[in-house]
Amino acid sequence: SDNHLFSAIVAAVPSLDAPLARLADGSIETYGDAFALSARLAHLLVSRGVKPGDRVAVQVEKSWPSLALYLATIRAGAVYLPLNTAYTLNEVKYFLTDAEPALFVCRPEIETEARALATEIGVPCVETLGNDGVGSLTVSAAALSPTFPDVARGPDELACILYTSGTTGRAKGAMLTHRNLLSNAVTLKDYWRFTSNDVLIHALPLFHTHGLFVAANVIFMSGASMLFRTKFDAREAIELMPQATCLMGVPTFYTRLLDQPGLTREATQHMRLFTSGSAPLLAETHRAFRERTGHAILERYGMTETGMNTSNPYEGERIAGTVGLPLPGVSVRVVDPESGTVLGSDEIGMIEVKGPNVTKGYWRMPEKTASEFHDGFFVTGDLGKIDANDYVHIVGRGKDLVITGGFNVYPKEVEGEIDALPGVVESAIIGVPHPDFGEGVTAVVVMAKGADLSEQGIQKALESRLARFKQPKRVFFVNELPRNTMGKVQKNILRDTYRDIYR
Ligand code: ATP
Ligand code: MG
């Protein structure tokens, strides 16, 4: 028996001398370096009492050793649990209490408070890792052996617990197995035609499924390399493009790139692929990017609990405003949320998915897990439809659906109409408690610089375009929509801001 995920990573490596990551300071880390560092760190985990199946919670800035720590945890047979660096220690307390890790790796800046918290809630061990990649973890590991006897792990054993982004409520810990991660990485590598010649601009955080499982795992499975950056800087990304072949981004990466005059056909000529996900890409961004660069951004759809489910095709048509086709091995269906019956093409309902990518369930939440599965399919919480050509369209989250006077209003449809109006950058449609209608359709709009829009103007423009019940009862203007670190619009914040307007 072997370590299902790590053995596959080892088998995919072209040569130990092949580069895996070029860091911002110009240094190159090879696959051999990654294996040696992760072996040292794996020995350290074992010496700190981490046993197979134990959780290793990690809240650190992105650094090269932090990526090696992920591999080390897998090699030690333990369960990697990365946490968003934006969480306060008070929020971290919830995750540590829930997951009961054997070790917590934190930033050196919060070591004192982290140790106090660990003592309080019974986490046996704390180590540090700084944004420069130095901390008690790497210092202690330096003297340890660069080879490690990898702990055997079967495909159905846990590799990671990844908490959801908490966009719609308290974050839930999705249990991800070796098979979940490996199957999705192999599928994406093939679907997006990755080879060892690829060079990815890796500028996503490593605490989220996008940066860790889509980006890093696909690179591992391709034996490819990455230009490893701790954060996204649009100007720098454009400078890197002549040495790169691919960028994986959230929609805000693309709007920021479009703000740069340096984004041209020539600057992107060496690139073969731009992907987008984690939040909806505006059709307008897709069009503008294509116009400027000649590249059609490839949008895909996934979530913490499932990894990636659908993708626009590599060769076929990449259709703006859709998230593409079900990935090979993944079944996607749309059901009526009330009756549970499977709907036909173009009918809107709840998106459900099934495949080797889908989580075993939520950590220590058996009831929640049971309620999120329906005949073996995982209930995504996203509403959408599948068109006659099998392309999946997302119309919004179930929790963002607006029900007004008994009618369903899908936010995306109204947002699409508003976004198409001259002078509008983007918009968000929310349902706000309304004494007569239950919820009132409410628009929050970001105006372009210099545009002159009014509430009445927008309402008037929508009159001929949308049924009356879909038209916003109120329109508010803001400088920007509230977003979390993955670029997701936080509609719960908007609902909160405007909750009293119809009272
Ligand atoms: P929580 O489940 O805690 O509320 P979250 O759903 O935002 O948070 P993630 O797992 O990070 O946490 O995000 C998955 C969600 O992101 C999907 O369910 C979907 O709503 C959205 N999403 C991802 N990719 C796309 C996309 N290409 N287009 C539209 N939405 C997307
Ligand atoms: Mg979710």
Side-chain angles (χ1 to χ4, degrees):
S1 72
D2 64 358
N3 184 300
H4 190 67
L5 176 59
F6 191 70
S7 302
I9 291 174
V10 172
V13 169
S15 111
L16 290 178
D17 298 331
L20 170 55
R22 290 163 205 273
L23 311 186
D25 67 4
S27 60
I28 294 177
E29 301 287 354
T30 64
Y31 276 89
D33 295 332
F35 293 164
L37 180 55
S38 61
R40 292 190 164 99
L41 290 168
H43 281 292
L44 185 82
L45 297 181
V46 172
S47 78
R48 294 299 187 262
V50 174
K51 294 187 196 51
D54 282 352
R55 278 75 58 209
V56 174
V58 178
Q59 191 198 30
V60 299
E61 299 298 341
K62 182 179 179 181
S63 68
W64 168 249
S66 78
L67 183 61
L69 179 58
Y70 157 60
L71 295 178
T73 307
I74 300 296
R75 297 181 71 176
V79 179
Y80 191 64
L81 194 171
L83 292 167
N84 190 331
T85 41
Y87 289 135
T88 64
L89 206 58
N90 186 43
E91 290 165 308
V92 168
K93 180 177 177 177
Y94 161 75
F95 297 108
L96 300 188
T97 309
D98 188 42
E100 295 187 297
L103 169 67
F104 176 39
V105 182
C106 70
R107 288 159 293 165
E109 297 79 20
I110 63 158
E111 183 179 1
T112 310
E113 301 90 309
R115 283 193 184 280
L117 175 64
T119 307
E120 182 194 333
I121 62 177
V123 174
C125 187
V126 174
E127 297 284 344
T128 64
L129 184 60
N131 57 1
D132 52 359
V134 179
S136 66
L137 191 80
T138 45
V139 170
S140 314
L144 304 177
S145 165
T147 60
F148 180 82
D150 300 321
V151 173
R153 289 273 101 176
D156 292 317
E157 289 185 279
L158 288 195
C160 287
I161 294 176
L162 197 56
Y163 283 85
T164 60
S165 298
T167 311
T168 59
R170 175 159 260 189
K172 301 145 279 181
M175 299 189 285
L176 299 169
T177 64
H178 280 243
R179 189 202 310 278
N180 292 154
L181 302 184
L182 180 57
S183 68
N184 214 225
V186 171
T187 299
L188 293 174
K189 161 197 165 261
D190 292 340
Y191 206 73
W192 294 341
R193 311 282 195 274
F194 269 84
T195 71
S196 58
N197 294 326
D198 273 299
V199 181
L200 171 76
I201 301 175
H202 191 305
L204 291 161
L206 288 174
F207 53 72
H208 187 263
T209 186
H210 198 167
L212 192 56
F213 301 143
V214 183
N217 278 353
V218 166
I219 292 308
F220 291 143
M221 291 323 298
S222 319
S225 70
M226 45 197 166
L227 299 165
F228 192 80
R229 293 298 180 275
T230 51
K231 58 178 186 1
F232 180 74
D233 176 315
R235 192 180 305 211
E236 183 187 33
I238 292 169
E239 277 164 19
L240 293 175
M241 285 180 193
Q243 321 158 43
T245 63
C246 174
L247 173 71
M248 294 184 187
V250 294
T252 42
F253 282 19
Y254 293 104
T255 50
R256 283 193 242 155
L257 282 169
L258 282 164
D259 285 341
Q260 294 290 325
L263 183 82
T264 59
R265 211 163 259 268
E266 217 208 331
T268 57
Q269 167 175 290
H270 193 256
M271 300 287 282
R272 71 170 184 89
L273 181 63
F274 291 90
T275 70
S276 177
S278 292
L281 182 76
L282 293 178
E284 176 51 31
T285 309
H286 191 277
R287 268 191 293 274
F289 199 85
R290 190 168 207 167
E291 226 170 76
R292 281 270 284 283
T293 67
H295 290 278
I297 298 171
L298 183 155
E299 185 172 8
R300 91 295 177 287
Y301 159 64
M303 51 200 304
T304 306
E305 296 93 329
T306 65
M308 299 305 107
N309 296 310
T310 72
S311 170
N312 271 277
Y314 189 75
E315 258 129 32
E317 221 190 322
R318 300 179 194 167
I319 302 175
T322 83
V323 293
L325 307 158
L327 286 165
V330 181
S331 310
V332 181
R333 66 182 194 182
V334 172
V335 308
D336 182 318
E338 253 91 78
S339 65
T341 45
V342 179
L343 298 173
S345 45
D346 284 325
E347 292 187 291
I348 292 177
M350 179 58 69
I351 299 175
E352 298 186 344
V353 299
K354 187 177 180 175
N357 54 314
V358 174
T359 177
K360 276 196 183 195
Y362 295 110
W363 170 257
R364 289 185 180 164
M365 293 173 94
E367 283 99 40
K368 175 83 182 153
T369 300
S371 71
E372 302 303 306
F373 280 89
H374 173 214
D375 300 340
F377 277 77
F378 179 74
V379 182
T380 62
D382 293 312
L383 296 171
K385 63 177 187 183
I386 304 176
D387 68 21
N389 298 319
D390 284 339
Y391 281 72
V392 176
H393 302 240
I394 296 175
V395 299
R397 292 170 182 263
K399 289 195 172 162
D400 293 336
L401 175 71
V402 185
I403 305 179
T404 183
F407 293 110
N408 286 354
V409 176
Y410 301 105
K412 179 131 184 215
E413 184 188 0
V414 184
E415 289 161 2
E417 293 294 345
I418 297 179
D419 294 350
L421 300 174
V424 172
V425 175
E426 60 175 346
S427 62
I429 289 291
I430 51 169
V432 173
H434 190 292
D436 299 331
F437 296 99
E439 285 183 310
V441 178
T442 305
V444 184
V445 175
V446 180
M447 233 189 277
K449 264 188 221 107
D452 181 22
L453 297 171
S454 68
E455 174 166 27
Q456 288 75 14
I458 290 200
Q459 285 169 324
K460 190 113 195 70
L462 295 176
E463 267 173 15
S464 62
R465 311 209 45 98
L466 290 169
R468 188 168 189 113
F469 72 91
K470 297 178 186 169
Q471 296 168 17
K473 298 198 164 32
R474 294 295 316 268
V475 180
F476 296 92
F477 295 96
V478 294
N479 291 329
E480 56 180 13
L481 297 175
R483 284 195 150 80
N484 66 17
T485 28
M486 295 308 295
K488 296 166 191 285
V489 176
Q490 293 167 300
K491 289 196 171 179
N492 50 346
I493 294 181
L494 292 176
R495 280 190 288 262
D496 212 44
T497 307
Y498 298 104
R499 68 174 174 223
D500 293 325
I501 56 173
Y502 299 117
R503 294 203 183 177

